[in-house]
Amino acid sequence: MQLIDGKEIATTIQNELAQEVATMLADGARPPHLAAILVGNDGGSVTYVNAKVKACERIGYRSTLVRLEDTITQDELIEQVNRLNNDPEIDGFIVQLPLPKHINEHAIIEAIAPAKDVDGFHPVNVGRMALNLPCYLPATPYGIMQLIQRCGIDTAGKHAVVIGRSHIVGSPMSILLARNTKGANCTVTLCHSRTQNLEAHTRTADIVVVALGKPKFLKAHMIKEGAVVIDVGTTRVDAPGTKLGFKLHGDVDFDEVAPKTNWITPVPGGVGPMTITGLLQNTMLAAKKAKY
Ligand code: GUN
């Protein structure tokens, strides 16, 4: 069993980005600038957005956090999106999800200019991804593809099973793994809540990506010997007495699954740090106008 050290790989890539920023500054350019819109005070969202802003500062990007009340109307939020779309000082931005129930997420995402959509959620970017055209890839699947590539894991012709079909992780993951590109070319099975006999699929998988948000869901008997297991789960579980008061639990029962694997990501320190890294990479591409 080898651990896929997302923290170390993320640090390496972020150091590379910091070098690129230094080169941009030496050339007289301004640093990349990421903005984030955060609506309301959801604990998880506040933590994630703050982590994104902090990561920007660490590698020399500019960042702007736009905090809005959760009473904001959909039209007012679209106005804010348009303001960022039209601000030449901002290279890319995200609207942190989930949004309050009275706001239609699709309407907000579609209001974002595709060239500034560094989350890769706009239908134009999703379509371009599916067609293997230049685009911003959604950060978590982008990060996972880089983990697989940087660990030198053989993917061509392998059977990959993705559990979970969310728009943010599972669906794009299945598309990226199936593409005719280096580090992909898998035969992909996308499993979800209506899948029958899930274990019959996972037991034949060379690569399993678990993204359903159920702690310790994947057990040892569900995988084959020597599989590669990627754990996207980050469920907060109360842990009184710890510094944060909670612990992050993955979707994989690590203690029993790990000994059976060839490669596995830990939680924390696996996929999580790569999500922010993917966003930072997209923001660098946006600053260089490399995709549009
Ligand atoms: N909520 C959970 N993950 C994400 C993400 O990657 N981007 C945004 N904008 N919101 C999220």
Side-chain angles (χ1 to χ4, degrees):
M1 186 271 286
Q2 286 170 280
L3 213 55
I4 300 177
D5 190 341
K7 205 165 164 212
E8 188 184 314
I9 295 171
T11 302
T12 302
I13 296 173
Q14 291 186 23
N15 287 342
E16 290 165 7
L17 290 171
Q19 279 299 319
E20 278 187 67
V21 175
T23 306
M24 289 169 89
L25 295 180
D27 290 345
R30 64 161 174 75
H33 188 170
L34 173 73
I37 295 180
L38 175 58
V39 182
N41 297 297
D42 173 73
S45 293
V46 173
T47 308
Y48 286 131
V49 171
N50 283 336
K52 290 169 187 176
V53 168
K54 265 214 187 104
C56 284
E57 285 164 9
R58 216 172 34 239
I59 64 167
Y61 287 13
R62 272 188 213 155
S63 63
T64 297
L65 176 57
V66 181
R67 289 204 68 164
L68 303 167
E69 298 290 331
D70 59 8
T71 49
I72 192 168
T73 66
Q74 183 166 309
D75 286 347
E76 286 167 342
L77 183 52
I78 288 177
E79 262 176 47
Q80 293 288 334
V81 167
N82 281 330
R83 192 172 61 76
L84 297 180
N85 282 341
N86 295 319
D87 184 343
E89 291 296 312
I90 288 178
D91 299 304
F93 65 98
I94 65 164
V95 179
Q96 187 67 22
L97 305 177
L99 290 169
K101 284 196 172 53
H102 65 277
I103 295 177
N104 179 334
E105 277 183 7
H106 291 292
I108 301 304
I109 289 169
E110 288 194 42
I112 299 172
K116 291 195 174 188
D117 167 40
V118 284
D119 255 335
F121 292 169
H122 190 284
V124 166
N125 279 314
V126 178
R128 293 178 70 93
M129 171 184 66
L131 294 169
N132 211 355
L133 294 170
C135 63
Y136 300 115
L137 297 178
T140 300
Y142 183 20
I144 293 170
M145 294 307 287
Q146 294 185 90
L147 287 179
I148 291 172
Q149 282 161 23
R150 290 209 180 210
C151 289
I153 292 167
D154 190 15
T155 54
K158 303 293 181 192
H159 181 209
V161 169
V162 179
I163 309 177
R165 58 179 158 187
S166 75
H167 292 161
I168 292 181
V169 185
S171 294
M173 199 66 237
S174 69
I175 293 170
L176 293 179
L177 285 166
R179 291 203 304 193
N180 184 4
T181 52
K182 197 167 159 278
N185 278 306
C186 291
T187 303
V188 179
T189 304
L190 180 57
C191 297
H192 45 74
S193 53
R194 304 296 288 268
T195 295
Q196 292 180 6
N197 201 355
L198 177 71
E199 288 169 37
H201 300 290
T202 55
R203 273 203 296 263
T204 66
D206 302 297
I207 299 167
V208 185
V209 180
V210 202
L212 78 167
K214 286 192 183 166
K216 299 193 180 187
F217 177 84
L218 193 81
K219 304 287 185 190
H221 73 270
M222 297 168 75
I223 64 159
K224 75 176 183 189
E225 199 73 43
V228 175
V229 172
I230 308 288
D231 187 351
V232 189
T234 52
T235 307
R236 283 182 180 199
V237 177
D238 284 342
T242 59
K243 200 168 125 203
L244 296 170
F246 66 86
K247 271 184 152 177
L248 286 185
H249 280 207
D251 289 347
V252 175
D253 193 335
F254 187 89
D255 291 342
E256 67 165 75
V257 170
K260 212 174 164 184
T261 63
N262 212 346
W263 291 94
I264 186 167
T265 59
V267 175
V271 174
M274 290 302 290
T275 295
I276 288 187
T277 303
L279 178 66
L280 296 172
Q281 288 178 288
N282 282 340
T283 304
M284 175 60 81
L285 294 171
K288 292 184 165 177
K289 307 280 181 282
K291 292 292 178 189
Y292 285 89

